[in-house]
Each structure stands twice: as C-alpha cells, then as structure tokens.
Amino acid sequence: MLYQVNIGSSTPLGSAAPSTVRTQNWRRRKLSSVWGRRLDRVNVLGNEVYGHQGCVNALSWSQNGDLLISSGDDQHLRVWRMDHSSDPTNEYPFACQTVIDTGHSANVFNAQMLPTSTRIATVAGDNQVRVFDVGESVGRSPTGNEMGYTTRQACTRVLRCHSRRTKRIITEDSPDFFLTAGEDGEVRQHDLRTPHSCANGSCPAPLVKLPHELSTIALSPLTPYQFVVGGESPFAHLFDRRHAGRYLREEWGMSPAVDDVTTCVRRFSRHSRAPGEAKGDGHITGARMSAWNGHEVPFNSDAVYLYSTRDEPGTNSMVKKPSVLLPNPKRRKKDITGSPSHSSTILIQRTKGWKWMTMTNERFDGDEVEEDEEEEDEDVDDRSISAADVHADAPVIYPRSRFIGHCNVQTVKDVNFLGPYDEYVTSGSDDGNFFIWKKSSGELIDVLEGDDSIVNVIEGHPTLPLVAVSGIDTTIKLFAPGHGPAKYSRYQNVTSIIEHNSRTSRRGMNHATYLQLAHFVMHHDRASDVSRGDGDGDTTDPEARLVQCINQ
C-alpha cells in the first residue's frame, strides 16, 4: 500500500478518485501536508551488478507516474515500474523489466516519455536525438525478469539536427511534438509526423539560435507558448512563440529565418556576480517553469534564483525586504535529535555583499565565514553583470528570491519544484547532498544525502510524495516521508555544510576555466585510447566516473 494521503483513510494516493475540482483540491491539500514532513531514503534502484554501469544523468517520470525513466553514461535506457511482488516489505518497490540499448555513442543527458504514448526520446553527447518505442511492453516483461532490446528493435527515429552536444528535452501535450536544446545554441522543435532527412540539410529552422552554449530549457503546460533557456551566459531568455508576424522569406517559399519563429520578450539576470566570478562568465545550469502557476521560474547558477515572468522589468523585489534564506531553528528543534537549539547560522543582506552571522538567543556573535579581504571590500558595483547579449533590447527581470547553501561548480545541475503547489524549491550539490527550501519564505528546511559524490538530478513524482535522485553514482535513490528518524538527513550539520560549500564555491569560481580545460584534455586522451584499442572504456572506478561526468 502506498503512503496514505489522509492518515487513517483507506484510500491510497495512487488510486482513482472522482475527477471533480473539489476532490482534486482536497487531494492537493492532503498531499501538500505530507510533503511538509521530513523525507528519508526509502529505496535504492540498482547496485554494483544490477542497473546502470555509469553516472545516471537522466531521470523522468511518465505522465501518470507509473514509470520512471533513467539513462546516463552507459547509454542504456532503463524503465522502472512499481512492483510489489519484487519486495513486499518496501512501500516503494521498483523493478526494472525493460532495458534498451540506445545506440548513442556518448553519454545520454536527458530522456523523456512523450505524453499519451509509449515513446521515449533521448538526447546525448553525440549530438543526436533518438526516439524509441517498444509498445505496451515498456516497463513490463512477460517473464517478470529484465528484458533487453537492441537499438534495431527499439529505435524508431534518429534526428541529427543539432551540430553539437544535445542537452535537454521538454515535452508538450502531444506524443509527436517536443523541443530540444543543445550546445550549438539552438532550440529545435521536432514533429514526428513529418519526417525529414538531416543529411541533405532539410532540417527545419530552429526556434532559437543563440551565440552561446545552452544547458537547459523549461516550459510550463499552463503557458506552452513560452519557454526559457539558459547556458553559458549570465542572462537567461524568455521566448514567446505567439509573436509571429508576416515574414517575406516564408511567403516566397523559403525556410523562415531564426528570428522569424520566436521573439525574446524578457531576459533574466542577477544584480551582481558571485565573488570570484569573472565578467561574462555566468553559467545557468538548470531551469524549471512552474506547472502550478505557469509564471514562476527558478534558475540554478551560483545560487538558485526565483523569477516571475509577470514581474515588471527592472524591479528589485529582493531589496524590498530583508533576505533570510537559511533555516528556522524553532521549527526543527522537535524534528532533529541532537541538533543545537541555541544557535543557527543565517545569511543577512548588507549594503556590500552577504555576511554569515551566528544567531543566539541573546545576540549576534558576528561569526563570519572566512573570506578574502579583497572580496569583502569589493564594491557591489564592481561586480555588476555585464556581457554582450544578442537580445540586449529585451527588458531585464530581476529575481524575487535567492536560495543559498548548495555548491554548483563541477557539473550541470537541474533545479526543480516539489509539492502539489510547487511550494518547495530543490537543487543538488557538489557535496553529494540535495537541498530543499520553502519557496514562500526562503527557509532551508532540509539537506539530504543523495549521492556519494554529486547530486545532479531531482525529480518529484507527479502524484505521490516521492522523489527520485541521481548523480555520479550508478544507482538511483528514492526519498519519501519516513516513519522514524531520518537516517539520511544531514540537517543537523547544516552550518558546517553551508560554510564548506561557500568556500568551495569561491574556489571553484576562480578555478573553473582551468578545470574545463583539464577535463577536455582528459576526455580527448581517453577517447583517443579507446579508438586505438588501448582502453576498454570501463568507467567503474569512482574517480574515472567523476572525470567522465564532471563536465556534463
């Protein structure tokens, strides 16, 4: 039996209920109250001999939540289904009965099941987009054991429209349409109903073409005509597909120019660069648009920033009220055994920069994290965001909130909402933890261990209080409200964790260029060895996996 929405009720959360607004609102309220409880690890999918054999870069739930799709460096798709016969003692037992060899020649970065279908689309480091379909057998095996499919058996379409690594997919309310974004700076819309040959250059014009790499793209089902993109730029961009007028190229029978397909209507920016960040070096690794209200957008950069597409350009809502973005000690006194009840570390915004303070019941002790004097004395105006931008005429929106504590330096990390009202914001971190903040107040409510190295992906189940987490490890961790002390919560060490991440972030900003070059050289050397037959491509060693995954 799944976790109950209403304690004492006999109706499981995943069962069918009358489709009425009143019932749906009741279910949302009950589910929201469950999300407010402490999470803990409830299952691990895979192990040293079963499951993925490399970093798990891609996680997504099917539209109804019946299936969990995963893929990564081993270039295999795995489809996990909840199966109580596999482990009757576990509330959330999942078994993998479908494994697909994608045929990609490089790491898979994203995989999504297309709505109302059995199709699965993937993107990878070989620049390709692939579509797979094994019909109603997806997630099921007639023998109950793992069933493998070759690329020839499962792959129905290979798209080579992108010229560089393809990083993300977003689906629309159709089994035939989806968007992809890649490091070639392009966003492309794919329509599986109209095949074309990529070899002869007949690919449709991209929706967006930017002069920098793209790492992320997001769209809300409530506003499907808008999407946001981010990547190797301090600016994220909001595009609107409704802004289409009369274009002479199309009227003359020619493919429309890139600028004719969509219009950049807004840009998103921070007010200042992070300490140690060079001008123009901002990088947005993750973005998400709210499925609940359609206008809130968090971005993952040096911190997580929350924006709204409805905000007026040029306004600074963060400065209007003090920003207290770390935990409330009163709320956790009852929850965390052994946690200090007399003090808590908070972050307060000052005229120049941000300052760590230790708050006691009596006074502020002024216990600062070690900072370089040069950074401490640096004027905020000297760290203003400045970079050439192809859409410099688009108005700029500034963040409503800033969520801090995690470290986002080494890999491309997503950001996500949790809860039926998107009331929580979450992100992975370079320290192997993932952080959960309350959106309305900015309060950090939990830090959970999700990986032995780095957490990159966090995906909440569409109808259950269940979270799938992955990163450098070859396994997938599942988290849900626990029934006892949270064994994998690291909240009791939150002060030292955040201080460590703050120092690591500052060092990482200064060292990022060198690391990217070093990882490129290592990738090139390893690829050369494999092509010459000097290596077998094995990445089972944790350090080797980290090197392979580090520049995702």
Side-chain angles (χ1 to χ4, degrees):
M1 185 64 67
L2 302 180
Y3 197 95
Q4 304 292 323
V5 187
N6 185 14
I7 304 302
S9 169
S10 60
T11 304
L13 215 151
S15 65
S19 180
T20 65
V21 173
R22 188 172 184 179
T23 300
Q24 291 174 0
N25 290 339
W26 176 86
R27 288 166 61 84
R28 283 184 179 275
R29 289 195 300 270
K30 293 301 180 182
L31 181 57
S32 180
S33 66
V34 173
W35 273 108
R37 304 176 187 178
R38 293 195 311 278
L39 301 182
D40 201 11
R41 187 183 297 180
V42 295
N43 204 349
V44 177
L45 308 186
N47 52 43
E48 294 166 350
V49 296
Y50 167 72
H52 286 289
Q53 302 303 308
C55 308
V56 183
N57 310 316
L59 285 179
S60 65
W61 297 97
S62 60
Q63 193 173 30
N64 58 9
D66 288 347
L67 304 175
L68 175 64
I69 316 299
S70 65
S71 191
D73 291 2
D74 63 3
Q75 297 143 30
H76 282 71
L77 271 172
R78 286 185 170 269
V79 183
W80 308 82
R81 180 184 293 275
M82 189 173 290
D83 180 9
H84 288 278
S85 64
S86 63
D87 185 1
T89 63
N90 195 314
E91 275 188 302
Y92 299 96
F94 279 78
C96 178
Q97 296 183 1
T98 300
V99 182
I100 300 172
D101 182 353
T102 65
H104 282 293
S105 59
N107 302 350
V108 176
F109 293 131
N110 207 202
Q112 298 282 343
M113 177 166 276
L114 304 185
T116 65
S117 77
T118 55
R119 295 169 174 169
I120 301 173
T122 61
V123 293
D126 59 6
N127 312 343
Q128 296 181 4
V129 180
R130 292 188 170 221
V131 181
F132 304 87
D133 195 350
V134 296
E136 296 302 321
S137 299
V138 64
R140 293 185 175 91
S141 169
T143 63
N145 299 320
E146 190 176 283
M147 176 172 285
Y149 295 87
T150 65
T151 307
R152 182 181 294 273
Q153 291 173 321
C155 187
T156 61
R157 190 73 61 87
V158 178
L159 304 171
R160 298 180 176 88
C161 304
H162 286 280
S163 60
R164 295 185 62 188
R165 299 198 306 176
T166 313
K167 303 302 287 286
R168 291 293 181 268
I169 304 169
I170 52 172
T171 61
E172 303 193 57
D173 190 20
S174 167
D176 300 306
F177 288 96
F178 59 94
L179 305 182
T180 57
E183 291 182 352
D184 53 7
E186 295 180 352
V187 174
R188 289 186 171 271
Q189 177 178 282
H190 305 278
D191 184 352
L192 300 180
R193 301 171 304 175
T194 56
H196 68 273
S197 174
C198 299
N200 59 18
S202 64
C203 297
L207 297 183
V208 169
K209 175 65 176 177
L210 293 172
H212 59 264
E213 296 180 2
L214 295 180
S215 300
T216 186
I217 180 171
L219 174 149
S220 172
L222 298 182
T223 54
Y225 45 84
Q226 294 180 332
F227 60 88
V228 295
V229 295
E232 293 284 353
S233 169
F235 297 101
H237 298 85
L238 173 69
F239 290 90
D240 197 317
R241 287 184 278 183
R242 297 173 300 178
H243 288 220
R246 179 183 174 189
Y247 302 115
L248 294 179
R249 288 176 58 89
E250 195 170 13
E251 292 179 11
W252 280 89
M254 302 169 65
S255 297
V258 172
D259 293 339
D260 294 347
V261 182
T262 57
T263 301
C264 180
V265 293
R266 291 290 186 272
R267 293 182 295 160
F268 303 93
S269 178
R270 299 164 291 161
H271 284 282
S272 63
R273 290 174 284 116
E277 179 186 330
K279 288 187 176 182
D281 281 355
H283 187 186
I284 296 169
T285 65
R288 197 65 56 120
M289 291 191 77
S290 173
W292 168 246
N293 57 42
H295 67 89
E296 289 184 314
V297 187
F299 291 104
N300 209 344
S301 183
D302 62 294
V304 173
Y305 296 87
L306 181 67
Y307 301 82
S308 172
T309 60
R310 296 178 180 175
D311 283 349
E312 290 295 324
T315 59
N316 180 7
S317 57
M318 283 181 59
V319 177
K320 294 179 180 179
K321 57 184 180 180
S323 298
V324 179
L325 304 173
L326 287 190
N328 178 354
K330 295 180 179 179
R331 182 169 184 257
R332 289 293 177 155
K333 284 181 184 179
K334 299 178 181 179
D335 295 342
I336 306 298
T337 304
S339 62
S341 59
H342 61 281
S343 66
S344 176
T345 302
I346 67 169
L347 188 69
I348 60 173
Q349 190 172 18
R350 304 177 302 166
T351 305
K352 300 193 325 182
W354 298 80
K355 181 178 180 181
W356 292 97
M357 306 289 283
T358 299
M359 182 179 70
T360 66
N361 292 335
E362 299 176 356
R363 61 185 177 87
F364 284 99
D365 289 344
D367 181 18
E368 292 192 42
V369 174
E370 296 178 6
E371 283 192 53
D372 296 337
E373 290 296 326
E374 182 178 350
E375 289 180 2
E376 177 66 21
D377 295 333
E378 187 179 17
D379 193 347
V380 171
D381 292 338
D382 295 336
R383 290 195 277 116
S384 59
I385 301 293
S386 62
D389 189 66
V390 67
H391 294 291
D393 293 336
V396 178
I397 293 178
Y398 292 100
R400 290 182 164 189
S401 306
R402 178 177 184 262
F403 307 94
I404 56 89
H406 73 308
C407 180
N408 183 20
V409 173
Q410 296 192 62
T411 57
V412 174
K413 295 174 190 64
D414 282 337
V415 65
N416 213 335
F417 289 107
L418 294 177
Y421 303 106
D422 289 344
E423 56 264 55
Y424 302 98
V425 176
T426 184
S427 170
S429 177
D430 288 341
D431 59 1
N433 297 313
F434 66 100
F435 289 64
I436 302 176
W437 299 271
K438 192 171 184 179
K439 185 181 69 177
S440 60
S441 65
E443 178 190 351
L444 177 62
I445 64 169
D446 215 344
V447 179
L448 294 138
E449 180 185 323
D451 194 273
D452 287 340
S453 299
I454 299 172
V455 173
N456 290 325
V457 187
I458 307 165
E459 289 291 336
H461 191 279
T463 59
L464 298 173
L466 181 65
V467 183
V469 177
S470 70
I472 303 300
D473 290 350
T474 61
T475 57
I476 302 162
K477 283 80 172 181
L478 299 182
F479 289 79
H483 299 295
K487 296 180 181 178
Y488 289 89
S489 175
R490 301 295 174 256
Y491 191 88
Q492 64 271 22
N493 303 322
V494 65
T495 301
S496 59
I497 288 173
I498 293 176
E499 289 177 352
H500 173 268
N501 285 342
S502 178
R503 291 192 295 269
T504 302
S505 295
R506 291 199 300 274
R507 289 196 301 268
M509 290 290 182
N510 295 323
H511 209 45
T513 303
Y514 169 78
L515 283 176
Q516 290 176 2
L517 178 60
H519 293 142
F520 172 80
V521 172
M522 285 187 286
H523 278 294
H524 180 270
D525 289 346
R526 182 176 178 277
S528 298
D529 290 342
V530 172
S531 65
R532 292 194 302 266
D534 297 336
D536 58 3
D538 181 28
T539 57
T540 55
D541 178 70
E543 291 189 6
R545 285 206 311 274
L546 183 58
V547 170
Q548 187 177 15
C549 297
I550 203 77
N551 203 27
Q552 304 280 345

